[in-house]
Amino acid sequence: PVGLKPFGHRPSLARARRMSAAEKTTARKGKGNMRFSHADVLRAVRSLYADELKPSGRLLMRRLREQRARYVAQARQVPGDAVDPEDLARVDPKRLYKVCGRVRQLMVFPEEGREYSVRLATEPDTFVDTRGADDEYPPRLWTDLAAYFDALAGAGLRLPGGRYA
């Protein structure tokens, strides 16, 4: 009937045309699962390689959300850190695993438990071993760093949370 609006919130046609793909997904699905493409996954894997982090499934899910947050911030014309990745739709881990297996530039490897990692087929593994016992820095550096952080905390300053902290 004329004058009745459909159930649920839907943006106006003019607003919908201005919305980014990420915003349209959020408007349609609320905080459901994030949509992402093969290109998004490949971009996320390459960025983890650039950071010398082994692209595990968990890190890959985080990186996808971080990249989407930067994209949404850019679309809204706000600073890059103005959009919190935690406020965005979640990445479906099962779908991510399937997409990784379908990208021909990637190889998927089983890891401990139900975890997996993804590697670029044409790139060498040059990852930092975040769990390794080897430490190239002298103990004095860690003692001085701890004292510095304690001084910050004593002054009431807090370090920002986020990126794998």
Side-chain angles (χ1 to χ4, degrees):
V2 177
L4 291 179
K5 294 182 179 179
F7 292 108
H9 170 72
R10 292 185 187 253
S12 69
L13 187 57
R15 167 85 174 113
R17 287 185 181 135
R18 291 190 312 264
M19 291 171 69
S20 69
E23 289 174 312
K24 287 177 186 175
T25 298
T26 302
R28 251 184 274 130
K29 298 182 83 173
K31 199 174 173 182
N33 289 326
M34 177 190 295
R35 290 185 175 183
F36 53 89
S37 68
H38 292 161
D40 294 326
V41 172
L42 199 52
R43 188 177 315 110
V45 170
R46 286 188 174 132
S47 75
L48 289 169
Y49 263 75
D51 292 343
E52 296 184 353
L53 294 172
K54 186 178 184 180
S56 69
R58 291 175 193 211
L59 284 181
L60 198 49
M61 285 190 292
R62 284 185 189 171
R63 185 57 56 96
L64 282 166
R65 290 178 82 194
E66 289 171 354
Q67 289 179 339
R68 182 61 53 86
R70 283 194 300 275
Y71 174 80
V72 170
Q74 184 179 7
R76 292 179 183 167
Q77 298 180 343
V78 296
D81 60 352
V83 177
D84 185 354
E86 293 299 317
D87 292 337
L88 299 177
R90 304 263 180 233
V91 174
D92 179 1
K94 291 178 182 177
R95 180 167 182 271
L96 177 59
Y97 181 80
K98 287 177 186 177
V99 169
C100 288
R102 292 181 186 140
V103 177
R104 61 186 159 109
Q105 296 99 321
L106 300 178
M107 297 183 302
V108 179
F109 293 91
E111 297 288 336
E112 195 173 316
R114 296 187 327 200
E115 188 61 84
Y116 64 93
S117 64
V118 181
R119 312 280 174 55
L120 291 168
T122 59
E123 297 291 324
D125 295 350
T126 57
F127 310 123
V128 174
D129 184 4
T130 57
R131 296 181 183 176
D134 296 334
D135 187 359
E136 61 186 72
Y137 299 102
R140 167 87 189 210
L141 176 118
W142 300 115
T143 305
D144 291 348
L145 187 61
Y148 174 74
F149 288 136
D150 287 342
L152 287 179
L157 298 174
R158 292 180 48 208
L159 294 173
R163 199 143 192 177
Y164 318 111

mmCIF file with all atom_site columns, all heavy atoms in Angstrom, residues 11-31:
data_model
loop_
_atom_site.group_PDB
_atom_site.id
_atom_site.type_symbol
_atom_site.label_atom_id
_atom_site.label_alt_id
_atom_site.label_comp_id
_atom_site.label_asym_id
_atom_site.label_entity_id
_atom_site.label_seq_id
_atom_site.pdbx_PDB_ins_code
_atom_site.Cartn_x
_atom_site.Cartn_y
_atom_site.Cartn_z
_atom_site.occupancy
_atom_site.B_iso_or_equiv
_atom_site.pdbx_formal_charge
_atom_site.auth_seq_id
_atom_site.auth_comp_id
_atom_site.auth_asym_id
_atom_site.auth_atom_id
_atom_site.pdbx_PDB_model_num
ATOM 1   N N   . PRO A 1 11 ? 18.358 2.924   4.254  1.00 0.00 ? 11 PRO A N   1
ATOM 2   C CA  . PRO A 1 11 ? 18.723 4.292   3.908  1.00 0.00 ? 11 PRO A CA  1
ATOM 3   C C   . PRO A 1 11 ? 17.949 4.763   2.683  1.00 0.00 ? 11 PRO A C   1
ATOM 4   O O   . PRO A 1 11 ? 17.489 3.967   1.876  1.00 0.00 ? 11 PRO A O   1
ATOM 5   C CB  . PRO A 1 11 ? 20.227 4.196   3.611  1.00 0.00 ? 11 PRO A CB  1
ATOM 6   C CG  . PRO A 1 11 ? 20.459 2.769   3.285  1.00 0.00 ? 11 PRO A CG  1
ATOM 7   C CD  . PRO A 1 11 ? 19.415 1.974   4.030  1.00 0.00 ? 11 PRO A CD  1
ATOM 8   N N   . SER A 1 12 ? 17.827 6.082   2.568  1.00 0.00 ? 12 SER A N   1
ATOM 9   C CA  . SER A 1 12 ? 17.175 6.645   1.393  1.00 0.00 ? 12 SER A CA  1
ATOM 10  C C   . SER A 1 12 ? 17.983 6.277   0.157  1.00 0.00 ? 12 SER A C   1
ATOM 11  O O   . SER A 1 12 ? 19.167 5.947   0.233  1.00 0.00 ? 12 SER A O   1
ATOM 12  C CB  . SER A 1 12 ? 17.080 8.162   1.528  1.00 0.00 ? 12 SER A CB  1
ATOM 13  O OG  . SER A 1 12 ? 18.382 8.723   1.428  1.00 0.00 ? 12 SER A OG  1
ATOM 14  N N   . LEU A 1 13 ? 17.355 6.375   -1.010 1.00 0.00 ? 13 LEU A N   1
ATOM 15  C CA  . LEU A 1 13 ? 18.033 6.033   -2.253 1.00 0.00 ? 13 LEU A CA  1
ATOM 16  C C   . LEU A 1 13 ? 19.246 6.927   -2.474 1.00 0.00 ? 13 LEU A C   1
ATOM 17  O O   . LEU A 1 13 ? 20.316 6.448   -2.863 1.00 0.00 ? 13 LEU A O   1
ATOM 18  C CB  . LEU A 1 13 ? 17.050 6.148   -3.434 1.00 0.00 ? 13 LEU A CB  1
ATOM 19  C CG  . LEU A 1 13 ? 17.563 5.676   -4.780 1.00 0.00 ? 13 LEU A CG  1
ATOM 20  C CD1 . LEU A 1 13 ? 18.014 4.216   -4.696 1.00 0.00 ? 13 LEU A CD1 1
ATOM 21  C CD2 . LEU A 1 13 ? 16.489 5.830   -5.838 1.00 0.00 ? 13 LEU A CD2 1
ATOM 22  N N   . ALA A 1 14 ? 19.101 8.233   -2.192 1.00 0.00 ? 14 ALA A N   1
ATOM 23  C CA  . ALA A 1 14 ? 20.231 9.152   -2.366 1.00 0.00 ? 14 ALA A CA  1
ATOM 24  C C   . ALA A 1 14 ? 21.370 8.785   -1.420 1.00 0.00 ? 14 ALA A C   1
ATOM 25  O O   . ALA A 1 14 ? 22.534 8.760   -1.806 1.00 0.00 ? 14 ALA A O   1
ATOM 26  C CB  . ALA A 1 14 ? 19.782 10.590  -2.130 1.00 0.00 ? 14 ALA A CB  1
ATOM 27  N N   . ARG A 1 15 ? 21.042 8.476   -0.176 1.00 0.00 ? 15 ARG A N   1
ATOM 28  C CA  . ARG A 1 15 ? 22.066 8.087   0.812  1.00 0.00 ? 15 ARG A CA  1
ATOM 29  C C   . ARG A 1 15 ? 22.715 6.774   0.408  1.00 0.00 ? 15 ARG A C   1
ATOM 30  O O   . ARG A 1 15 ? 23.921 6.617   0.509  1.00 0.00 ? 15 ARG A O   1
ATOM 31  C CB  . ARG A 1 15 ? 21.417 7.969   2.191  1.00 0.00 ? 15 ARG A CB  1
ATOM 32  C CG  . ARG A 1 15 ? 22.272 7.282   3.234  1.00 0.00 ? 15 ARG A CG  1
ATOM 33  C CD  . ARG A 1 15 ? 23.230 8.228   3.910  1.00 0.00 ? 15 ARG A CD  1
ATOM 34  N NE  . ARG A 1 15 ? 23.900 7.534   4.986  1.00 0.00 ? 15 ARG A NE  1
ATOM 35  C CZ  . ARG A 1 15 ? 25.188 7.243   4.994  1.00 0.00 ? 15 ARG A CZ  1
ATOM 36  N NH1 . ARG A 1 15 ? 25.952 7.609   4.009  1.00 0.00 ? 15 ARG A NH1 1
ATOM 37  N NH2 . ARG A 1 15 ? 25.729 6.594   5.999  1.00 0.00 ? 15 ARG A NH2 1
ATOM 38  N N   . ALA A 1 16 ? 21.936 5.819   -0.060 1.00 0.00 ? 16 ALA A N   1
ATOM 39  C CA  . ALA A 1 16 ? 22.467 4.513   -0.454 1.00 0.00 ? 16 ALA A CA  1
ATOM 40  C C   . ALA A 1 16 ? 23.469 4.659   -1.581 1.00 0.00 ? 16 ALA A C   1
ATOM 41  O O   . ALA A 1 16 ? 24.464 3.937   -1.634 1.00 0.00 ? 16 ALA A O   1
ATOM 42  C CB  . ALA A 1 16 ? 21.344 3.579   -0.871 1.00 0.00 ? 16 ALA A CB  1
ATOM 43  N N   . ARG A 1 17 ? 23.246 5.590   -2.490 1.00 0.00 ? 17 ARG A N   1
ATOM 44  C CA  . ARG A 1 17 ? 24.193 5.793   -3.588 1.00 0.00 ? 17 ARG A CA  1
ATOM 45  C C   . ARG A 1 17 ? 25.517 6.349   -3.101 1.00 0.00 ? 17 ARG A C   1
ATOM 46  O O   . ARG A 1 17 ? 26.555 6.111   -3.700 1.00 0.00 ? 17 ARG A O   1
ATOM 47  C CB  . ARG A 1 17 ? 23.578 6.722   -4.636 1.00 0.00 ? 17 ARG A CB  1
ATOM 48  C CG  . ARG A 1 17 ? 22.501 6.056   -5.444 1.00 0.00 ? 17 ARG A CG  1
ATOM 49  C CD  . ARG A 1 17 ? 22.012 6.969   -6.547 1.00 0.00 ? 17 ARG A CD  1
ATOM 50  N NE  . ARG A 1 17 ? 20.966 6.319   -7.283 1.00 0.00 ? 17 ARG A NE  1
ATOM 51  C CZ  . ARG A 1 17 ? 19.831 6.897   -7.643 1.00 0.00 ? 17 ARG A CZ  1
ATOM 52  N NH1 . ARG A 1 17 ? 19.612 8.170   -7.365 1.00 0.00 ? 17 ARG A NH1 1
ATOM 53  N NH2 . ARG A 1 17 ? 18.917 6.223   -8.296 1.00 0.00 ? 17 ARG A NH2 1
ATOM 54  N N   . ARG A 1 18 ? 25.492 7.113   -2.006 1.00 0.00 ? 18 ARG A N   1
ATOM 55  C CA  . ARG A 1 18 ? 26.718 7.713   -1.468 1.00 0.00 ? 18 ARG A CA  1
ATOM 56  C C   . ARG A 1 18 ? 27.465 6.782   -0.525 1.00 0.00 ? 18 ARG A C   1
ATOM 57  O O   . ARG A 1 18 ? 28.617 7.016   -0.208 1.00 0.00 ? 18 ARG A O   1
ATOM 58  C CB  . ARG A 1 18 ? 26.386 8.996   -0.719 1.00 0.00 ? 18 ARG A CB  1
ATOM 59  C CG  . ARG A 1 18 ? 25.932 10.132  -1.599 1.00 0.00 ? 18 ARG A CG  1
ATOM 60  C CD  . ARG A 1 18 ? 25.861 11.437  -0.808 1.00 0.00 ? 18 ARG A CD  1
ATOM 61  N NE  . ARG A 1 18 ? 25.164 11.318  0.458  1.00 0.00 ? 18 ARG A NE  1
ATOM 62  C CZ  . ARG A 1 18 ? 23.880 11.609  0.661  1.00 0.00 ? 18 ARG A CZ  1
ATOM 63  N NH1 . ARG A 1 18 ? 23.127 11.997  -0.332 1.00 0.00 ? 18 ARG A NH1 1
ATOM 64  N NH2 . ARG A 1 18 ? 23.350 11.500  1.858  1.00 0.00 ? 18 ARG A NH2 1
ATOM 65  N N   . MET A 1 19 ? 26.827 5.743   -0.057 1.00 0.00 ? 19 MET A N   1
ATOM 66  C CA  . MET A 1 19 ? 27.440 4.853   0.925  1.00 0.00 ? 19 MET A CA  1
ATOM 67  C C   . MET A 1 19 ? 28.495 3.965   0.286  1.00 0.00 ? 19 MET A C   1
ATOM 68  O O   . MET A 1 19 ? 28.370 3.551   -0.854 1.00 0.00 ? 19 MET A O   1
ATOM 69  C CB  . MET A 1 19 ? 26.378 3.953   1.574  1.00 0.00 ? 19 MET A CB  1
ATOM 70  C CG  . MET A 1 19 ? 25.424 4.694   2.469  1.00 0.00 ? 19 MET A CG  1
ATOM 71  S SD  . MET A 1 19 ? 24.044 3.678   3.009  1.00 0.00 ? 19 MET A SD  1
ATOM 72  C CE  . MET A 1 19 ? 24.842 2.538   4.089  1.00 0.00 ? 19 MET A CE  1
ATOM 73  N N   . SER A 1 20 ? 29.536 3.679   1.058  1.00 0.00 ? 20 SER A N   1
ATOM 74  C CA  . SER A 1 20 ? 30.550 2.735   0.598  1.00 0.00 ? 20 SER A CA  1
ATOM 75  C C   . SER A 1 20 ? 29.990 1.318   0.671  1.00 0.00 ? 20 SER A C   1
ATOM 76  O O   . SER A 1 20 ? 28.964 1.080   1.312  1.00 0.00 ? 20 SER A O   1
ATOM 77  C CB  . SER A 1 20 ? 31.791 2.829   1.490  1.00 0.00 ? 20 SER A CB  1
ATOM 78  O OG  . SER A 1 20 ? 31.486 2.316   2.769  1.00 0.00 ? 20 SER A OG  1
ATOM 79  N N   . ALA A 1 21 ? 30.673 0.404   0.037  1.00 0.00 ? 21 ALA A N   1
ATOM 80  C CA  . ALA A 1 21 ? 30.244 -1.006  0.086  1.00 0.00 ? 21 ALA A CA  1
ATOM 81  C C   . ALA A 1 21 ? 30.215 -1.506  1.521  1.00 0.00 ? 21 ALA A C   1
ATOM 82  O O   . ALA A 1 21 ? 29.310 -2.239  1.922  1.00 0.00 ? 21 ALA A O   1
ATOM 83  C CB  . ALA A 1 21 ? 31.172 -1.862  -0.763 1.00 0.00 ? 21 ALA A CB  1
ATOM 84  N N   . ALA A 1 22 ? 31.213 -1.124  2.327  1.00 0.00 ? 22 ALA A N   1
ATOM 85  C CA  . ALA A 1 22 ? 31.269 -1.572  3.718  1.00 0.00 ? 22 ALA A CA  1
ATOM 86  C C   . ALA A 1 22 ? 30.081 -1.027  4.510  1.00 0.00 ? 22 ALA A C   1
ATOM 87  O O   . ALA A 1 22 ? 29.474 -1.737  5.306  1.00 0.00 ? 22 ALA A O   1
ATOM 88  C CB  . ALA A 1 22 ? 32.574 -1.114  4.363  1.00 0.00 ? 22 ALA A CB  1
ATOM 89  N N   . GLU A 1 23 ? 29.723 0.246   4.279  1.00 0.00 ? 23 GLU A N   1
ATOM 90  C CA  . GLU A 1 23 ? 28.597 0.824   4.993  1.00 0.00 ? 23 GLU A CA  1
ATOM 91  C C   . GLU A 1 23 ? 27.286 0.178   4.559  1.00 0.00 ? 23 GLU A C   1
ATOM 92  O O   . GLU A 1 23 ? 26.395 -0.032  5.370  1.00 0.00 ? 23 GLU A O   1
ATOM 93  C CB  . GLU A 1 23 ? 28.537 2.332   4.750  1.00 0.00 ? 23 GLU A CB  1
ATOM 94  C CG  . GLU A 1 23 ? 29.652 3.093   5.437  1.00 0.00 ? 23 GLU A CG  1
ATOM 95  C CD  . GLU A 1 23 ? 29.657 4.557   5.069  1.00 0.00 ? 23 GLU A CD  1
ATOM 96  O OE1 . GLU A 1 23 ? 29.564 4.879   3.875  1.00 0.00 ? 23 GLU A OE1 1
ATOM 97  O OE2 . GLU A 1 23 ? 29.760 5.373   5.995  1.00 0.00 ? 23 GLU A OE2 1
ATOM 98  N N   . LYS A 1 24 ? 27.161 -0.138  3.269  1.00 0.00 ? 24 LYS A N   1
ATOM 99  C CA  . LYS A 1 24 ? 25.944 -0.799  2.790  1.00 0.00 ? 24 LYS A CA  1
ATOM 100 C C   . LYS A 1 24 ? 25.774 -2.157  3.454  1.00 0.00 ? 24 LYS A C   1
ATOM 101 O O   . LYS A 1 24 ? 24.680 -2.537  3.847  1.00 0.00 ? 24 LYS A O   1
ATOM 102 C CB  . LYS A 1 24 ? 25.983 -0.951  1.271  1.00 0.00 ? 24 LYS A CB  1
ATOM 103 C CG  . LYS A 1 24 ? 25.781 0.344   0.536  1.00 0.00 ? 24 LYS A CG  1
ATOM 104 C CD  . LYS A 1 24 ? 25.895 0.129   -0.957 1.00 0.00 ? 24 LYS A CD  1
ATOM 105 C CE  . LYS A 1 24 ? 25.837 1.440   -1.696 1.00 0.00 ? 24 LYS A CE  1
ATOM 106 N NZ  . LYS A 1 24 ? 26.071 1.272   -3.136 1.00 0.00 ? 24 LYS A NZ  1
ATOM 107 N N   . THR A 1 25 ? 26.871 -2.879  3.597  1.00 0.00 ? 25 THR A N   1
ATOM 108 C CA  . THR A 1 25 ? 26.810 -4.188  4.246  1.00 0.00 ? 25 THR A CA  1
ATOM 109 C C   . THR A 1 25 ? 26.356 -4.030  5.683  1.00 0.00 ? 25 THR A C   1
ATOM 110 O O   . THR A 1 25 ? 25.504 -4.769  6.159  1.00 0.00 ? 25 THR A O   1
ATOM 111 C CB  . THR A 1 25 ? 28.189 -4.873  4.197  1.00 0.00 ? 25 THR A CB  1
ATOM 112 O OG1 . THR A 1 25 ? 28.537 -5.062  2.832  1.00 0.00 ? 25 THR A OG1 1
ATOM 113 C CG2 . THR A 1 25 ? 28.172 -6.205  4.906  1.00 0.00 ? 25 THR A CG2 1
ATOM 114 N N   . THR A 1 26 ? 26.909 -3.036  6.394  1.00 0.00 ? 26 THR A N   1
ATOM 115 C CA  . THR A 1 26 ? 26.539 -2.819  7.784  1.00 0.00 ? 26 THR A CA  1
ATOM 116 C C   . THR A 1 26 ? 25.074 -2.413  7.895  1.00 0.00 ? 26 THR A C   1
ATOM 117 O O   . THR A 1 26 ? 24.352 -2.887  8.765  1.00 0.00 ? 26 THR A O   1
ATOM 118 C CB  . THR A 1 26 ? 27.449 -1.746  8.412  1.00 0.00 ? 26 THR A CB  1
ATOM 119 O OG1 . THR A 1 26 ? 28.794 -2.188  8.289  1.00 0.00 ? 26 THR A OG1 1
ATOM 120 C CG2 . THR A 1 26 ? 27.131 -1.542  9.878  1.00 0.00 ? 26 THR A CG2 1
ATOM 121 N N   . ALA A 1 27 ? 24.606 -1.552  6.986  1.00 0.00 ? 27 ALA A N   1
ATOM 122 C CA  . ALA A 1 27 ? 23.210 -1.112  7.020  1.00 0.00 ? 27 ALA A CA  1
ATOM 123 C C   . ALA A 1 27 ? 22.265 -2.280  6.764  1.00 0.00 ? 27 ALA A C   1
ATOM 124 O O   . ALA A 1 27 ? 21.212 -2.378  7.369  1.00 0.00 ? 27 ALA A O   1
ATOM 125 C CB  . ALA A 1 27 ? 22.980 -0.020  5.979  1.00 0.00 ? 27 ALA A CB  1
ATOM 126 N N   . ARG A 1 28 ? 22.659 -3.180  5.871  1.00 0.00 ? 28 ARG A N   1
ATOM 127 C CA  . ARG A 1 28 ? 21.820 -4.321  5.524  1.00 0.00 ? 28 ARG A CA  1
ATOM 128 C C   . ARG A 1 28 ? 21.842 -5.394  6.602  1.00 0.00 ? 28 ARG A C   1
ATOM 129 O O   . ARG A 1 28 ? 20.836 -5.975  6.932  1.00 0.00 ? 28 ARG A O   1
ATOM 130 C CB  . ARG A 1 28 ? 22.318 -4.947  4.213  1.00 0.00 ? 28 ARG A CB  1
ATOM 131 C CG  . ARG A 1 28 ? 21.392 -4.711  3.065  1.00 0.00 ? 28 ARG A CG  1
ATOM 132 C CD  . ARG A 1 28 ? 21.874 -5.429  1.841  1.00 0.00 ? 28 ARG A CD  1
ATOM 133 N NE  . ARG A 1 28 ? 22.817 -4.552  1.168  1.00 0.00 ? 28 ARG A NE  1
ATOM 134 C CZ  . ARG A 1 28 ? 24.016 -4.907  0.763  1.00 0.00 ? 28 ARG A CZ  1
ATOM 135 N NH1 . ARG A 1 28 ? 24.435 -6.116  0.910  1.00 0.00 ? 28 ARG A NH1 1
ATOM 136 N NH2 . ARG A 1 28 ? 24.805 -4.056  0.173  1.00 0.00 ? 28 ARG A NH2 1
ATOM 137 N N   . LYS A 1 29 ? 23.022 -5.672  7.123  1.00 0.00 ? 29 LYS A N   1
ATOM 138 C CA  . LYS A 1 29 ? 23.175 -6.851  7.968  1.00 0.00 ? 29 LYS A CA  1
ATOM 139 C C   . LYS A 1 29 ? 23.433 -6.529  9.436  1.00 0.00 ? 29 LYS A C   1
ATOM 140 O O   . LYS A 1 29 ? 23.683 -7.418  10.210 1.00 0.00 ? 29 LYS A O   1
ATOM 141 C CB  . LYS A 1 29 ? 24.323 -7.703  7.438  1.00 0.00 ? 29 LYS A CB  1
ATOM 142 C CG  . LYS A 1 29 ? 24.085 -8.226  6.028  1.00 0.00 ? 29 LYS A CG  1
ATOM 143 C CD  . LYS A 1 29 ? 25.214 -9.083  5.603  1.00 0.00 ? 29 LYS A CD  1
ATOM 144 C CE  . LYS A 1 29 ? 24.992 -10.462 6.138  1.00 0.00 ? 29 LYS A CE  1
ATOM 145 N NZ  . LYS A 1 29 ? 25.917 -11.448 5.681  1.00 0.00 ? 29 LYS A NZ  1
ATOM 146 N N   . GLY A 1 30 ? 23.460 -5.260  9.815  1.00 0.00 ? 30 GLY A N   1
ATOM 147 C CA  . GLY A 1 30 ? 23.806 -4.930  11.189 1.00 0.00 ? 30 GLY A CA  1
ATOM 148 C C   . GLY A 1 30 ? 25.259 -5.281  11.415 1.00 0.00 ? 30 GLY A C   1
ATOM 149 O O   . GLY A 1 30 ? 26.101 -4.983  10.600 1.00 0.00 ? 30 GLY A O   1
ATOM 150 N N   . LYS A 1 31 ? 25.551 -5.966  12.512 1.00 0.00 ? 31 LYS A N   1
ATOM 151 C CA  . LYS A 1 31 ? 26.936 -6.309  12.830 1.00 0.00 ? 31 LYS A CA  1
ATOM 152 C C   . LYS A 1 31 ? 27.203 -7.768  12.501 1.00 0.00 ? 31 LYS A C   1
ATOM 153 O O   . LYS A 1 31 ? 28.004 -8.428  13.146 1.00 0.00 ? 31 LYS A O   1
ATOM 154 C CB  . LYS A 1 31 ? 27.207 -6.005  14.295 1.00 0.00 ? 31 LYS A CB  1
ATOM 155 C CG  . LYS A 1 31 ? 28.659 -5.885  14.619 1.00 0.00 ? 31 LYS A CG  1
ATOM 156 C CD  . LYS A 1 31 ? 28.863 -5.445  16.031 1.00 0.00 ? 31 LYS A CD  1
ATOM 157 C CE  . LYS A 1 31 ? 30.335 -5.503  16.354 1.00 0.00 ? 31 LYS A CE  1
ATOM 158 N NZ  . LYS A 1 31 ? 30.603 -5.147  17.718 1.00 0.00 ? 31 LYS A NZ  1
#
